[in-house]
Amino acid sequence: TQLLEQSPQFLSIQEGENLTVYCNSSSVFSSLQWYRQEPGEGPVLLVTVVTGGEVKKLKRLTFQFGDARKDSSLHITAAQPGDTGLYLCAGAPGTGGFKTIFGAGTRLFVKA
Amino acid sequence: DTAVSQTPKYLVTQMGNDKSIKCEQNLGHDTMYWYKQDSKKFLKIMFSYNNKELIINETVPNRFSPKSPDKAHLNLHINSLELGDSAVYFCASSQAGRANEQFFGPGTRLTVL
């Protein structure tokens, strides 16, 4: 059973377009993380959201944590080829802890 | 300067062999992890050590044995390698109180022939 469902699984868009990636669960998370992974490398942490309803911005990336702390979204404005990669959401259900669950990822390809 | 390093980067071996992967972090973190990423890019935790103590041991075959000689190192030994063990193995670390904010190594691509 996948505790963190990501959608879409794959996204191919033109440079300059906007996109949103979703991460959903039936479980409550004390925090959720978003990572980006490029081919041949390990995931790199982008952001952590902790408070229900929280919105964080990282340049053209906007991250939101759902009010009930069961879901999160990543919105990219004016996507660029450099945004291409695998985006992973992750978190520890319940009160947190060391066992981090990862979503299956959204593979983004931005065409120039 | 590398925060989390793994060796080797690539490992190609025959079925039945025994191999080890090494991981080192210089971030001063107290928790380290091993993950397996399959061909569909799904990351699954295998083991976690906190201050050299095993705290997470998922349903992994006992052919896999982690060892943490100190807080900065976590190695993974695999006995009797099988075809299904082929995957990319990632080491990661985190600091106390921020367990879910993990720093990953570059991965070891294991291919079992």
Side-chain angles (χ1 to χ4, degrees):
Chain A
T1 302
Q2 190 63 280
L3 282 183
L4 281 172
E5 299 279 350
Q6 282 190 244
S7 62
Q9 291 183 347
F10 182 80
L11 195 53
S12 179
I13 61 171
Q14 288 292 138
E15 183 177 4
E17 292 183 10
N18 301 332
L19 67 117
T20 303
V21 175
Y22 299 93
C23 177
N24 295 299
S25 176
S26 57
S27 301
V28 175
F29 285 77
S30 59
S31 67
L32 275 180
Q33 287 72 40
W34 284 92
Y35 292 81
R36 189 173 89 182
Q37 184 178 14
E38 298 189 30
E41 298 180 11
V44 175
L45 179 67
L46 296 175
V47 78
T48 293
V49 286
V50 179
T51 308
E54 181 178 6
V55 176
K56 280 191 173 177
K57 291 198 170 190
L58 189 67
K59 297 182 181 178
R60 294 175 294 99
L61 277 60
T62 302
F63 304 85
Q64 186 161 6
F65 202 11
D67 292 339
R69 292 187 288 124
K70 292 183 178 182
D71 55 87
S72 182
S73 64
L74 157 60
H75 182 79
I76 302 179
T77 304
Q80 298 176 2
D83 296 327
T84 294
L86 179 69
Y87 289 83
L88 298 159
C89 67
T95 55
F98 294 100
K99 186 177 174 182
T100 298
I101 306 295
F102 279 81
T106 294
R107 185 172 299 281
L108 171 65
F109 181 66
V110 182
K111 294 174 281 190
Chain B
D1 277 326
T2 305
V4 182
S5 59
Q6 292 179 232
T7 55
K9 175 75 171 172
Y10 300 96
L11 187 52
V12 181
T13 187
Q14 297 288 331
M15 218 166 38
N17 285 348
D18 303 337
K19 290 292 178 186
S20 292
I21 308 171
K22 295 187 175 182
C23 177
E24 177 181 1
Q25 55 96 3
N26 62 6
L27 297 167
H29 290 168
D30 62 355
T31 307
M32 296 184 72
Y33 312 79
W34 277 112
Y35 286 87
K36 180 179 181 180
Q37 189 172 46
D38 60 26
S39 57
K40 294 185 178 179
K41 303 300 182 185
F42 186 59
L43 259 176
K44 189 170 182 184
I45 192 165
M46 300 172 67
F47 303 102
S48 178
Y49 272 74
N50 177 252
N51 286 316
K52 300 194 300 175
E53 295 294 324
L54 181 66
I55 56 171
I56 294 175
N57 186 352
E58 288 298 281
T59 49
V60 176
N62 57 16
R63 297 181 294 103
F64 291 77
S65 52
K67 188 168 284 188
S68 182
D70 56 60
K71 287 198 303 182
H73 296 85
L74 179 62
N75 304 322
L76 183 65
H77 187 76
I78 315 170
N79 289 326
S80 303
L81 278 156
E82 300 178 358
L83 294 177
D85 297 332
S86 295
V88 181
Y89 292 85
F90 286 100
C91 175
S93 71
S94 66
Q95 63 183 25
R98 307 183 79 138
N100 304 125
E101 296 182 345
Q102 297 178 13
F103 292 77
F104 283 80
T108 296
R109 181 175 292 278
L110 171 65
T111 302
V112 182
L113 303 175

